[in-house]
Amino acid sequence: MRKFNIRKVLDGLTAVSSAASASSAAQQQQAGNRETEIQETLQSEHFQLCKTVRHGFPYQPSALAFDPVQKILAIGTQTGALRLFGRPGVECYCQHDSGAAVIQLQFLINEGALVSALADDTLHLWNLRQKRPAILHSLKFNRERITFCHLPFQSKWLYVGTERGNIHIVNVESFTLSGYVIMWNKAIELSSKSHPGPIVHISDNPMDEGKLLIGFESGTVVLWDLKSKKADYRYTHDEAIHSVAWHHEGKQFICSHSDGTLTIWNVRSPTKPFQTITPHGKQLKDGKKPEPCKPILKVEYKTTRAGEPFIILSGGLSYDTVGRRPCLTVMHGKSTAVLEMDYSIVDFLTLCETPYPNDFQEPYAVVVLLEKDLVLIDLAQNGYPIFENPYPLTIHESPVTCCEYFADCPVDLIPALYSVGARQKRQGYSKKEWPISGGNWGLITQSYPEIIITGHADGSIKFWDASAITLQVLYKLKTAKVFEKSRNKDDRPNTDIVDEDPYAIQIISWCPESRMLCIAGVSAHVIIYRFSKQEVTTEIIPMLEVRLLYEINDMESPDGEQVPPLPTPGTGSNPQSIVPQSHPSTSSSSSDGLRDNVPCLKVKNSPLKQSPGYQIELVIQLVWVSGEPPQQITSLAVNSAYGLVVFGNCNGIAMVDYLQKTVLLNLGTIELYGSNDPYRREPRSPRKSRQPSGDVKDNSFSRSRSSSVTSIDKESREAISALHFCETFTRKNDTSPSPCLWVGTTLGTVLVIVLNLPPGGEQRLLQPVIVSPSGTILRLKGAILRMAFLDTTGSLVPPAHEPWREHNVPEDKDEKDKSKKRRPVSVSPSSSQEISENQYAVICSEKQAKVISLPSQNCIYKQNITETSFVLRGDIVSLSNSICLACFCANGHIMTFSLPSLRPLLDVYYLPLTNMRIARTFCFTNNGQALYLVSPTEIQRLTYSQETCENLQEMLGELFTPVETPEAPNRGFFKGLFGGGAQSLDREELFGESAAGKASRSLAQHIPGPGGIEGVKGAASGVVGELARARLALDERGQKLGELEEKTAAMLYSADSFSKHAHEMMLKYKDKKWYQF
């Protein structure tokens, strides 16, 4: 632990930017108070940046696969991402470096490996036997485009179909091409004059591995004999094919077509289909063919022992169903169920009891991958109910507009939110367990509660339990239900300031200790909520309307100490204060016909039933002023100990006492300065113009500016950008701290407002709160983002708060006496300090950070964070029993600085600011955690803590778990004796180099993957590789135990897991004879 002397700490600064400010800071310090020693424990070795987990629905999904033995689901996306899902809480994200779209995924079933085919004509083999899957091999096709892949169960030979209609064969162990190729011109009729089109399907006959069914897009299907290298049968149809599926006995297959028909073919009757079905076609009476329908994009044919087979398909609706939602159709015997989906279907898979294609399939569920959702349908229950989805895939249910992240919350919060959220759950789900149940959870090494709050475009707010790198929704609050909804567009009030999403959440201010919640919405509205476990009905919703003006007049210059007259509760004498008991009758236009005194939204005037959870305390709305709409709110803060909420925009600042329901402060930004205004500002013309002019720092700019440049005008106004309630020294000569509000603006000014609060209990509701500017003004470069306060030991002084209590239950006498005496809890050590001891204000702007000693107001440390860019988010957070300032810059850098000395501790280039979504949602929190919205549907979490990075490997779940492959179906005595049953094929003999020769070198290029040596265990695939893998695991165990010193090896696999793996392999083969392998 190093001790830092405030006089000398700047000698240790390495950053060039801080050197410039060192001399001035040292001079100020010598003039300051007595020497203070603050111990700083954080060093740069405490910091390391890495991504931890990604939550949410995979953005723009494009491919789907399922391992029926491991019970793991894989989803590929159009941006080359790969998401793997096991049991709830086990999920994993990987990324193909090229970023090309994933067109198909194929599991090596029960092997812990997966093949991905990409739109850039590459194949990749992923090893899933490590916690962070890695690519073992890649193969890049140079001359042909990949369209379809097929890997038979327990085979190491992957069939790859191309756009030219050829089929190549890849050995998945070595990821090399076989010399065996099926050329399109050999597969189709020699007499055929046209090209059959790309390959859309490949599969082997379930009963005979030597026969390969090849589907060409044009409508031709070929049954190819692999041994004799010629076509056995050719089936031609005049409609394009989208997909093909076998009956498990291998005597029939089904094709889906572009005209909405299904054709069922007997293998030995190629001349015409055995049956043609148009599932959604209207049957015409005179025997004509039904009208064509939309293409059936996919069909699956699944058999059951006890009854009729299932035919499951997507698409195929008739063309006259305009506006009908996408459907999945389940045909079972004579019944046809049409299941409507909320989004278009990307792909679907039927989950079956067996991995063997030549056995009765016994389907039990269908996984449907939609454009923006994942749905699982239970086939075993009547009515095909859906399973309740346990993954956090609903982040984007309405687009996310803002995020907040709270680590190390009070421990009772998550249970409280869960209990009120449990009542919101939908009913009617399947009674069965979620069928995707593979993998194992990681070790939980972090035990503190974490909560993420997301605000959405429809006005909803979701609370998520984010503890220990998982995510689960706890509770959803709909803020829009307090407002009247317009039924159609014509009915909408013309006071709207946004065209769509008028309830969208912009800012969330939450006090976890008191559970007070405050939100600011896009229609210049603020709602304050209290948490309650009781249901209440609110007869009249308490509301206030605030007129926030931006005015500079030549005639009057408001005095700094002037405060608007304070109304006594219930009188309503002040135009800013409206009696909450009755709804105001606002006039919609002023004398000159301009819209005036109207809010953007209309609050309901009927009683509102409020369920347990967050309940409305007060609604505040900014109103139109003389034809000018209210400006959107730029900052917001709530304090439960003081009973106050404050918010600001580019016009000014307003403070409301939510206990007395009165407006305490309503000032234009300029009025905050009083006579100390450092800026020259243009006065508005006496006539009330619609567009008031903005702040102007530069005279030349002001002269040349025409009056029509209104957008610049609004932008250049000084907006309120940061607000912080605290108990500190407000003026230079203060001897003791007192409650106050620190206000930061976009021009880099910090102003202090003094709060004079009445005593607690009943007096708090009767006496007014007195608010007055202190005259204290501090300056920084760039807009103010964040403020915090440290005590004399350098510990964070949190804002005062009230502990949560149930407000909807009448208090007994003892409680009332207690509440009279109750003072706000300020957890800071400052309350017990001697008067002479000082505090430190930490202020972070877009450009720099300063630490200011209080009450002297000397700047003792300064750090220029960035010269060429600007800080998007800055947070003062705790880490390793200390605190630091964490910043995310628009140039993509993440930086941390020690407090109070502002030494640079971490500076890592992480990601460039590619869109506003990242800027709007990035946030840091305690214990080295951070997050942002990486896509419209996904949250990316990261850590900047060295300790979390080291523990991450243990915390991550395992996707692969050793599972015994089910026994193959019994062929039966007579079938074994007289032939029939499944025919096996020695593919090695056909496709190996000795028989097929080498493939053309120019056709495809092999690229070794970055998976490294730890991935070899996933490479030995297929039944052939099982023994090799058992031997490998044993060798590895001995080898790795010797190298246990190596940290990375120890992280990847503990010796324990090797012994377990090897032991399981040994048991698996102990009782088997040589011919059973």
Side-chain angles (χ1 to χ4, degrees):
M1 185 187 287
R2 287 171 63 186
K3 284 192 173 183
F4 280 89
N5 182 305
I6 283 185
R7 284 188 185 158
K8 294 177 183 170
V9 70
L10 289 157
D11 303 342
L13 281 176
T14 50
V16 182
S17 55
S18 47
S21 54
S23 56
S24 63
Q27 286 162 15
Q28 286 169 342
Q29 180 54 43
Q30 282 155 11
N33 302 342
R34 61 190 174 84
E35 188 177 292
T36 312
E37 279 196 353
I38 291 183
Q39 295 178 337
E40 286 189 3
T41 54
L42 283 179
Q43 303 299 328
S44 51
E45 56 265 25
H46 288 108
F47 293 89
Q48 185 186 335
L49 196 71
C50 70
K51 291 179 181 177
T52 51
V53 281
R54 184 173 288 203
H55 302 296
F57 182 77
Y59 183 56
Q60 296 179 323
S62 55
L64 182 67
F66 183 69
D67 184 325
V69 181
Q70 285 287 322
K71 299 206 177 327
I72 293 171
L73 187 77
I75 296 175
T77 75
Q78 290 176 31
T79 53
L82 183 60
R83 291 284 294 281
L84 296 142
F85 296 91
R87 64 179 58 196
V90 175
E91 51 179 280
C92 175
Y93 157 75
C94 324
Q95 177 69 46
H96 293 91
D97 290 340
S98 66
V102 179
I103 53 172
Q104 204 178 346
L105 295 169
Q106 290 263 300
F107 274 102
L108 279 66
I109 292 171
N110 206 23
E111 300 287 352
L114 173 80
V115 173
S116 57
L118 269 58
D120 63 357
D121 309 306
T122 54
L123 294 172
H124 305 273
L125 178 67
W126 289 86
N127 172 23
L128 308 182
R129 289 173 177 250
Q130 53 197 76
K131 287 191 170 185
R132 287 196 176 240
I135 291 174
L136 290 169
H137 301 282
S138 299
L139 195 63
K140 169 90 172 101
F141 279 72
N142 297 321
R143 298 205 303 257
E144 297 205 48
R145 311 227 53 187
I146 299 170
T147 55
F148 193 88
C149 298
H150 170 63
L151 180 69
F153 179 43
Q154 293 182 322
S155 160
K156 69 172 185 181
W157 299 96
L158 173 76
Y159 301 107
V160 181
T162 70
E163 198 171 49
R164 288 190 186 171
N166 303 326
I167 293 176
H168 301 278
I169 298 165
V170 175
N171 179 332
V172 289
E173 282 182 4
S174 60
F175 239 55
T176 51
L177 275 174
S178 161
Y180 191 117
V181 184
I182 303 169
M183 303 298 284
W184 67 270
N185 53 356
K186 299 271 193 335
I188 63 164
E189 295 273 9
L190 291 173
S191 58
S192 175
K193 293 196 170 63
S194 58
H195 188 278
I199 302 274
V200 293
H201 180 82
I202 308 168
S203 59
D204 41 347
N205 184 321
M207 286 295 179
D208 187 350
E209 292 173 351
K211 311 285 188 195
L212 201 65
L213 194 69
I214 305 164
F216 295 93
E217 191 181 67
S218 63
T220 301
V221 178
V222 174
L223 188 67
W224 180 263
D225 187 310
L226 288 164
K227 281 183 184 166
S228 63
K229 300 184 183 177
K230 65 179 200 316
D232 277 359
Y233 299 104
R234 297 181 178 95
Y235 315 83
T236 49
H237 194 64
D238 50 7
E239 287 296 337
I241 290 175
H242 282 279
S243 76
V244 184
W246 280 101
H247 185 285
H248 85 270
E249 288 175 348
K251 294 174 184 170
Q252 279 188 340
F253 61 89
I254 188 168
C255 301
S256 76
H257 299 279
S258 56
D259 64 345
T261 57
L262 297 172
T263 51
I264 298 176
W265 300 77
N266 283 337
V267 170
R268 293 168 187 269
S269 310
T271 47
K272 66 174 182 131
F274 161 71
Q275 191 183 357
T276 302
I277 310 164
T278 313
H280 295 284
K282 288 180 184 159
Q283 297 297 330
L284 302 174
K285 286 176 183 168
D286 48 5
K288 286 182 186 169
K289 276 171 70 179
E291 289 176 6
C293 294
K294 292 174 186 172
I296 295 175
L297 300 175
K298 184 172 181 178
V299 64
E300 294 209 333
Y301 197 8
K302 301 295 177 186
T303 51
T304 60
R305 270 189 178 80
E308 301 276 351
F310 281 87
I311 295 176
I312 301 165
L313 56 115
S314 63
L317 294 179
S318 65
Y319 279 100
D320 59 6
T321 52
V322 180
R324 187 161 179 191
R325 294 194 296 183
C327 293
L328 186 83
T329 306
V330 180
M331 300 166 74
H332 185 221
K334 291 184 177 163
S335 78
T336 300
V338 180
L339 310 173
E340 287 200 340
M341 302 290 154
D342 289 339
Y343 306 100
S344 51
I345 297 171
V346 175
D347 198 357
F348 73 88
L349 288 174
T350 311
L351 308 190
C352 300
E353 294 291 352
T354 177
Y356 293 94
N358 59 353
D359 195 6
F360 283 100
Q361 297 297 288
E362 304 296 349
Y364 58 89
V366 184
V367 183
V368 190
L369 177 63
L370 306 176
E371 211 171 34
K372 292 184 179 178
D373 202 2
L374 181 72
V375 176
L376 249 84
I377 295 157
D378 184 349
L379 288 179
Q381 261 179 266
N382 284 340
Y384 305 132
I386 63 168
F387 289 88
E388 184 175 7
N389 196 322
Y391 305 135
L393 301 183
T394 58
I395 292 168
H396 63 288
E397 197 174 19
S398 167
V400 175
T401 49
C402 64
C403 275
E404 290 298 335
Y405 190 5
F406 301 84
D408 221 358
C409 306
V411 288
D412 56 348
L413 256 178
I414 289 174
L417 288 163
Y418 181 80
S419 68
V420 294
R423 305 168 197 224
Q424 301 176 328
K425 293 236 169 120
R426 270 180 51 191
Q427 301 301 311
Y429 288 113
S430 166
K431 304 281 187 293
K432 290 197 185 142
E433 286 288 305
W434 182 252
I436 302 162
S437 55
N440 280 323
W441 293 312
L443 292 170
I444 305 304
T445 57
Q446 292 177 347
S447 56
Y448 50 86
E450 296 175 72
I451 290 176
I452 294 170
I453 306 179
T454 51
H456 300 263
D458 65 355
S460 61
I461 286 176
K462 287 182 183 171
F463 290 79
W464 305 82
D465 176 4
S467 311
I469 69 169
T470 60
L471 194 70
Q472 182 187 4
V473 72
L474 291 169
Y475 169 69
K476 180 179 173 181
L477 169 67
K478 294 179 180 173
T479 66
K481 69 177 185 183
V482 69
F483 299 109
E484 298 279 6
K485 285 209 172 53
S486 44
R487 283 176 188 80
N488 54 40
K489 286 204 168 175
D490 308 331
D491 193 27
R492 273 169 50 174
N494 56 1
T495 53
D496 281 6
I497 53 173
V498 283
D499 293 336
E500 50 191 42
D501 301 326
Y503 312 110
I505 307 292
Q506 277 192 312
I507 311 172
I508 297 165
S509 175
W510 187 51
C511 172
E513 288 77 17
S514 66
R515 304 184 189 172
M516 288 301 292
L517 171 71
C518 193
I519 64 101
V522 75
S523 296
H525 63 281
V526 171
I527 311 177
I528 303 152
Y529 290 92
R530 229 183 244 287
F531 186 83
S532 171
K533 293 180 178 175
Q534 310 289 321
E535 186 176 288
V536 291
T537 299
T538 308
E539 293 300 324
I540 290 170
I541 296 158
M543 59 168 284
L544 288 173
E545 287 176 0
V546 178
R547 223 177 133 83
L548 205 49
L549 286 170
Y550 175 92
E551 282 208 86
I552 317 167
N553 289 340
D554 286 333
M555 293 75 75
E556 50 184 277
S557 157
D559 182 32
E561 294 296 317
Q562 270 185 358
V563 182
L566 286 159
T568 49
T571 59
S573 58
N574 189 16
Q576 282 101 27
S577 142
I578 284 163
V579 193
Q581 282 77 12
S582 65
H583 281 257
S585 54
T586 49
S587 62
S588 61
S589 61
S590 60
S591 51
D592 53 1
L594 296 173
R595 201 171 290 137
D596 194 33
N597 253 17
V598 240
C600 302
L601 302 171
K602 191 169 185 291
V603 173
K604 283 181 182 168
N605 53 14
S606 53
L608 184 70
K609 183 176 151 193
Q610 303 204 66
S611 306
Y614 274 101
Q615 297 171 352
I616 291 161
E617 174 80 5
L618 179 64
V619 179
I620 307 163
Q621 285 186 280
L622 293 181
V623 295
W624 285 68
V625 177
S626 310
E628 187 176 310
Q631 296 303 306
Q632 290 185 359
I633 290 159
T634 52
S635 58
L636 174 73
V638 66
N639 187 290
S640 59
Y642 306 156
L644 302 177
V645 67
V646 61
F647 54 94
N649 61 13
C650 64
N651 283 344
I653 185 170
M655 191 190 298
V656 169
D657 178 342
Y658 65 75
L659 298 174
Q660 295 187 21
K661 316 277 190 277
T662 53
V663 179
L664 300 174
L665 183 73
N666 179 0
L667 290 175
T669 319
I670 303 129
E671 295 174 281
L672 269 175
Y673 287 93
S675 54
N676 303 326
D677 191 353
Y679 299 110
R680 278 187 48 127
R681 306 182 198 253
E682 280 195 350
R684 279 178 59 162
S685 57
R687 181 177 65 80
K688 284 236 168 106
S689 68
R690 278 178 170 229
Q691 265 73 28
S693 64
D695 299 328
V696 183
K697 289 178 263 188
D698 183 336
N699 276 336
S700 60
F701 178 60
S702 67
R703 267 188 238 106
S704 65
R705 187 174 62 168
S706 73
S707 59
S708 64
V709 187
T710 55
S711 59
I712 293 176
D713 177 24
K714 293 249 172 61
E715 288 303 309
S716 64
R717 287 187 193 172
E718 184 174 16
I720 308 295
S721 55
L723 295 162
H724 190 88
F725 284 107
C726 56
E727 207 158 315
T728 187
F729 302 93
T730 54
R731 297 181 180 87
K732 281 189 181 181
N733 50 5
D734 277 5
T735 53
S736 61
S738 56
C740 56
L741 170 73
W742 284 51
V743 180
T745 76
T746 48
L747 294 186
T749 307
V750 175
L751 303 126
V752 183
I753 293 172
V754 183
L755 311 172
N756 200 329
L757 299 159
E762 286 174 23
Q763 291 300 305
R764 173 63 184 84
L765 299 174
L766 298 173
Q767 294 181 27
V769 177
I770 311 290
V771 183
S772 56
S774 66
T776 296
I777 293 184
L778 305 167
R779 301 274 304 116
L780 275 81
K781 251 194 285 180
I784 306 296
L785 297 178
R786 189 77 61 211
M787 295 175 281
F789 293 84
L790 313 183
D791 65 16
T792 193
T793 66
S795 305
L796 198 63
V797 180
H801 61 265
E802 281 223 314
W804 177 79
R805 65 184 177 84
E806 181 57 77
H807 272 257
N808 290 331
V809 175
E811 292 179 289
D812 54 33
K813 190 172 183 303
D814 292 349
E815 277 293 318
K816 274 199 173 169
D817 291 344
K818 272 186 203 164
S819 74
K820 274 185 192 172
K821 291 172 190 159
R822 188 192 293 129
R823 285 305 296 148
V825 181
S826 183
V827 192
S828 75
S830 66
S831 52
S832 61
Q833 286 167 13
E834 301 162 25
I835 289 168
S836 61
E837 291 189 338
N838 52 356
Q839 285 187 351
Y840 304 98
V842 182
I843 304 170
C844 176
S845 79
E846 288 178 332
K847 292 286 186 183
Q848 61 181 192
K850 280 185 180 179
V851 174
I852 289 155
S853 178
L854 300 174
S856 67
Q857 294 181 16
N858 289 334
C859 173
I860 55 170
Y861 299 109
K862 184 170 90 173
Q863 175 68 265
N864 291 324
I865 298 168
T866 172
E867 294 292 340
T868 53
S869 184
F870 57 94
V871 179
L872 286 162
R873 176 83 183 206
D875 286 294
I876 290 102
V877 290
S878 64
L879 175 73
S880 304
N881 299 318
S882 190
I883 52 167
C884 64
L885 168 66
C887 298
F888 172 53
C889 280
N891 61 11
H893 282 253
I894 288 177
M895 297 184 247
T896 63
F897 302 91
S898 70
L899 287 174
S901 69
L902 294 173
R903 278 178 304 126
L905 296 170
L906 173 81
D907 183 351
V908 177
Y909 176 72
Y910 176 66
L911 87 164
L913 182 67
T914 46
N915 55 42
M916 277 310 291
R917 183 179 58 248
I918 297 171
R920 207 174 53 229
T921 57
F922 198 103
C923 46
F924 297 96
T925 185
N926 298 328
N927 298 343
Q929 307 286 358
L931 66 80
Y932 61 96
L933 219 70
V934 67
S935 75
T937 63
E938 296 161 291
I939 285 174
Q940 178 66 55
R941 285 164 73 177
L942 52 146
T943 182
Y944 48 96
S945 152
Q946 167 72 31
E947 189 187 356
T948 308
C949 288
E950 283 181 359
N951 293 334
L952 186 61
Q953 194 68 15
E954 287 179 18
M955 293 168 71
L956 293 171
E958 282 180 287
L959 285 164
F960 180 80
T961 46
V963 180
E964 188 75 51
T965 302
E967 287 291 324
N970 194 345
R971 287 170 68 182
F973 176 72
F974 288 105
K975 274 191 177 174
L977 199 63
F978 301 113
Q983 301 290 313
S984 62
L985 166 81
D986 187 347
R987 295 186 177 99
E988 187 71 39
E989 197 180 298
L990 274 178
F991 305 146
E993 202 174 301
S994 55
K998 285 188 175 178
S1000 160
R1001 277 191 172 182
S1002 60
L1003 186 63
Q1005 168 193 357
H1006 177 263
I1007 306 156
I1013 186 68
E1014 83 272 17
V1016 177
K1017 59 194 129 320
S1021 59
V1023 183
V1024 191
E1026 290 281 16
L1027 273 175
R1029 193 177 314 116
R1031 204 165 46 244
L1032 188 77
L1034 284 164
D1035 292 349
E1036 235 175 340
R1037 181 176 183 240
Q1039 179 194 345
K1040 286 274 168 91
L1041 281 171
E1043 298 167 4
L1044 205 61
E1045 297 304 305
E1046 287 178 41
K1047 202 172 179 182
T1048 48
M1051 261 170 60
L1052 283 172
Y1053 270 97
S1054 65
D1056 223 21
S1057 78
F1058 287 123
S1059 91
K1060 187 174 75 178
H1061 195 138
H1063 186 62
E1064 269 157 0
M1065 287 293 182
M1066 190 185 73
L1067 290 175
K1068 185 171 177 179
Y1069 296 105
K1070 189 176 66 168
D1071 300 320
K1072 291 201 174 183
K1073 307 286 187 292
W1074 61 269
Y1075 52 80
Q1076 290 177 306
F1077 288 121

